[in-house]
Amino acid sequence: AGVKFVDRRIPFSEWPKVKQEYINSGINPVGSIPVVELSGRVYTQSIPTLRYFSKKLGYIGRNAEDEYFLDRLADVAIDWRTTWGRLFEKNEKHTETNTPKFLRAFESFYGERAGDFVLGNEISYVDFLVYQLIDDEEVKSQLKVCILTIKYPFVI
């Protein structure tokens, strides 16, 4: 997007100290990441920050219908993240039940418009969100080996 930035990764060993600093300083009262600092402002929480910068940079669709379509898929992605986020570790039921259900939903959304992205040929914040979740869930390799080519051709 042409925006210069510094990507500061916090080593796991330093996280407890940094988290407390965020809470104590008021940078982020819940002590979570990401934290984006830009032009003297601080932005926190993943999805609102992603949406905010997408709007500023023009990756939110062309009209209210596109925004609604993106918000629907973002909510599905958040639901998926919530199902595995509660577990704190992978388990068989989640992998066999939840993951395929959400991948089918992504296939449906991505199949509604021709092109490589959920809006067709126009990339959006939801494409980044879905990719990040697929990567976090560690199903990217499954998608490439079997699901992508057979069951979920529109995802990644």
Side-chain angles (χ1 to χ4, degrees):
V3 177
K4 292 182 182 181
F5 66 96
V6 174
D7 185 4
R8 178 179 170 233
R9 304 286 170 138
I10 302 166
F12 189 75
S13 62
E14 295 176 25
W15 173 239
K17 180 182 175 194
V18 173
K19 179 179 181 173
Q20 197 57 52
E21 289 172 7
Y22 284 171
I23 293 169
N24 293 344
S25 68
I27 287 176
N28 190 349
V30 297
S32 63
I33 50 177
V35 172
V36 178
E37 298 177 54
L38 182 66
S39 301
R41 294 215 44 188
V42 175
Y43 303 89
T44 62
Q45 301 306 111
S46 299
I47 306 305
T49 301
L50 189 56
R51 281 186 180 131
Y52 174 78
F53 285 107
S54 296
K55 286 180 182 181
K56 289 200 61 93
L57 298 169
Y59 296 111
I60 197 79
R62 290 183 230 152
N63 54 46
E65 290 299 315
D66 284 350
E67 283 190 46
Y68 169 75
F69 184 71
L70 292 173
D71 284 346
R72 273 179 57 212
L73 180 51
D75 280 1
V76 170
I78 291 165
D79 289 347
W80 184 29
R81 185 171 81 168
T82 302
T83 66
W84 62 264
R86 285 187 193 138
L87 301 172
F88 295 104
E89 61 184 55
K90 305 245 183 291
N91 71 39
E92 194 173 299
K93 180 181 178 203
H94 169 71
T95 302
E96 292 178 3
T97 306
N98 293 330
T99 298
K101 175 178 82 172
F102 285 103
L103 291 176
R104 281 191 304 273
F106 295 149
E107 177 188 34
S108 176
F109 279 101
Y110 275 82
E112 286 186 30
R113 301 177 186 197
D116 294 330
F117 308 107
V118 74
L119 288 179
N121 295 318
E122 182 180 336
I123 198 164
S124 71
Y125 78 95
V126 171
D127 296 299
F128 294 106
L129 174 61
V130 169
Y131 179 83
Q132 178 253 318
L133 291 173
I134 286 172
D135 189 58
D136 284 354
E137 181 80 3
E138 299 176 346
V139 295
K140 187 168 56 171
S141 63
Q142 292 174 7
L143 290 168
K144 289 180 181 177
V145 172
C146 64
I147 299 174
L148 177 62
T149 57
I150 298 171
K151 293 184 181 177
Y152 305 99
F154 301 106
V155 179
I156 303 187

